Each structure stands twice: as structure tokens, then as C-alpha cells.
Amino acid sequence: MGRVVDGRVNGAPFAGIVLTAGSVLRADDAAGPVLSKKMEDAPLAGWYTIDGGQTPEDDIIEVKRERPPRLVLVDAADMALPVGSIRLLDKRDVARKSMFTTHSLPLSILIEEIEQSCEDIVS
């Protein structure tokens, strides 16, 4: 797992952070932690990952401190799509679809808290 050192991560200019959410204890909610583990095992130049588990809001301080140019939030969701599908959502979509969550806070609140520290948030 890389961290930012002199504006670089894994030998490349800092590109961003992938913040994942979910629980390996719930097989249908493990997409985030599985991706985080894969990124730790095979780091991407310029990127590092934070496995936020069931409480990704606990990692807000690190994200704000690093001020990534891009933050990618990854979480499993029941969206009536085929298993393994990926969908990009904007903040308004996340707010509407996150009334029920397995996390302590909905991701929309997490996004609002971090957006002043990131140039671009992808969820």
C-alpha cells in the first residue's frame, strides 16, 4: 500500500486515492474490500487505496490531509443490474440511493465532507 511521498505514489506522480467501503463478512458487500486488497497486491503507479470497511467515514482525515487530485469511492450496491456490473454515480444519485446503507453514514454525507479537499470525486 503506497502513500504520498514528495508528491509521488509507487514511483509516479500522485494520481489519486481509491477509498473502498464494504465488508468481507457479507459476500454481497465485499466488492470494495476485494478491490482494495487487489490494489495492495498489485499497486497502480500514482494511486493508493484505503479499505474503509464498514465505516469509510473514519478515513476522511487521511483523504483531507493528502488532498488527492481524484478520489474514487467504491462500494457494492443493489441496483438491479447483473452481478459484477459497474455504474458511475454523481453525488445526487448517491444521495437518492443511499437512504438505506450498511455503513454508519450514507456515502452522500461522506462525499460532502471530502469534496473541498479533492479536485474530482468519482463514485
Side-chain angles (χ1 to χ4, degrees):
M1 175 173 11
R3 290 291 188 254
V4 181
V5 178
D6 296 327
R8 301 178 76 75
V9 177
N10 302 321
F14 184 31
I17 296 172
V18 175
L19 174 59
T20 67
S23 172
V24 295
L25 298 177
R26 296 179 178 166
D28 63 339
D29 193 33
V34 168
L35 174 63
S36 189
K37 175 72 170 110
K38 287 182 180 276
M39 288 183 67
E40 287 178 9
D41 293 345
L44 298 172
W47 289 85
Y48 78 88
T49 182
I50 301 171
D51 180 358
Q54 293 183 40
T55 55
E57 60 275 9
D58 290 349
D59 298 293
I60 289 174
I61 292 170
E62 181 174 355
V63 172
K64 285 182 167 184
R65 181 182 65 239
E66 297 293 359
R67 301 188 66 80
R70 175 167 284 163
L71 175 68
V72 178
L73 296 171
V74 178
D75 191 11
D78 182 3
M79 299 183 72
L81 298 169
V83 173
S85 295
I86 297 173
R87 176 175 267 173
L88 294 177
L89 303 173
D90 69 21
K91 186 172 102 174
R92 292 176 306 273
D93 289 330
V94 173
R96 281 194 301 268
K97 292 176 176 47
S98 67
M99 291 181 62
F100 302 103
T101 179
T102 60
H103 312 298
S104 298
L105 291 173
L107 290 181
S108 57
I109 294 173
L110 179 73
I111 291 170
E112 288 177 13
E113 183 63 32
I114 306 174
E115 63 188 345
Q116 299 302 317
S117 301
C118 300
E119 295 172 26
D120 186 25
I121 299 177
V122 180
S123 56

